[in-house]
Amino acid sequence: FAGSTGDNVYTGHLAFPILGRQDVLGTLRERFSERIAEVGSAAELDAVDAAVTPIVLSTATGRRHVPTTHRLDTREYLAFLGRCDFFLAPPGFLMPVCHNLTEAMALRAIPILNYADWMRPPLEDGVSCLAFSTRDELVAVVERALEMSGTEVEQLRRGVAAYAEAHLTVGAFAARLGAVIDQSPKIVVNAEKDTVALWRERHGGA
């Protein structure tokens, strides 16, 4: 996992009926403490021995969306995702689906998450993700990931790549939008408040 955790929005009760980010990461740290490497820089990431600590966390403890609080810059972050077989994708705070899920999937990292059915179409456990709901299921699914053979991992990665290509690329989105735009020319954007404000600013307050 790489992402924000420090802002108090991640510590409260999520507005959705699923485990929040701090609950997910707290369970991981509690149950796998001896197998986790906590990294604070690209150099520390390069020094990780995956055979000893196969679980790597790079968390930003400051306010969300402030670049200077993150441990890895954009290039380092994307390189990190590209090295991952799996990516723990706990929910955001205003909505479960977080940008780091789609970023990880674009680089064929297999998401481990508790909102697979919130995607459209839903991600499938064992096909395009590893899914959990409870803390015990989270522990079980991480153990499952750590015990997978290289062949099993590669098969899952192919499933992730196929889903991303079919549903998450710009071309796939444009094709879906083009098919319905004539019937429904009004577009409703489902986004966090900061994103909506920025979009309105760039489009003259529309």
Side-chain angles (χ1 to χ4, degrees):
F1 171 78
S4 300
T5 61
D7 202 306
N8 59 12
V9 296
Y10 295 111
T11 61
H13 179 69
L14 194 68
F16 296 84
I18 57 176
L19 294 174
R21 180 170 296 191
Q22 291 287 29
D23 292 328
V24 171
L25 292 172
T27 299
L28 193 74
R29 288 185 171 104
E30 178 183 338
R31 300 295 290 272
F32 296 96
S33 59
E34 296 182 357
R35 307 192 71 181
I36 292 176
E38 302 258 5
V39 302
S41 67
E44 290 180 10
L45 179 60
D46 290 339
V48 170
D49 183 350
V52 178
T53 52
I55 302 171
V56 180
L57 303 179
S58 178
T59 58
T61 57
R63 291 186 63 240
R64 64 192 184 282
H65 308 320
V66 179
T68 55
T69 70
H70 289 274
R71 306 293 188 179
L72 306 176
D73 66 26
T74 301
R75 290 182 181 275
E76 292 165 347
Y77 168 65
L78 293 175
F80 170 67
L81 294 181
R83 291 168 54 183
C84 295
D85 286 328
F86 299 89
F87 185 81
L88 182 64
F93 63 96
L94 291 178
M95 61 179 74
V97 181
C98 188
H99 61 84
N100 57 21
L101 169 66
T102 54
E103 291 160 356
M105 293 184 69
L107 291 168
R108 299 178 71 238
I110 303 155
I112 298 176
L113 75 170
N114 57 340
Y115 50 91
D117 55 343
W118 292 67
M119 296 291 286
R120 184 178 181 185
L123 294 170
E124 296 181 63
D125 181 57
V127 176
S128 50
C129 75
L130 295 181
F132 68 92
S133 295
T134 66
R135 288 179 174 83
D136 287 342
E137 289 176 358
L138 168 60
V139 172
V141 84
V142 171
E143 290 175 340
R144 176 182 168 193
L146 293 173
E147 293 170 1
M148 278 189 178
S149 68
T151 300
E152 292 173 309
V153 170
E154 185 54 34
Q155 182 176 350
L156 264 175
R157 286 171 73 97
R158 287 196 296 269
V160 171
Y163 183 101
E165 180 65 26
H167 305 292
L168 301 180
T169 62
V170 173
F173 171 75
R176 291 199 306 274
L177 182 62
V180 300
I181 193 67
D182 291 335
Q183 291 80 19
S184 180
K186 182 177 181 179
I187 300 174
V188 178
V189 178
N190 179 17
E192 295 180 7
K193 58 185 178 182
D194 295 340
T195 304
V196 173
L198 180 60
W199 185 86
R200 286 176 173 163
E201 177 184 321
R202 288 180 175 177
H203 293 80

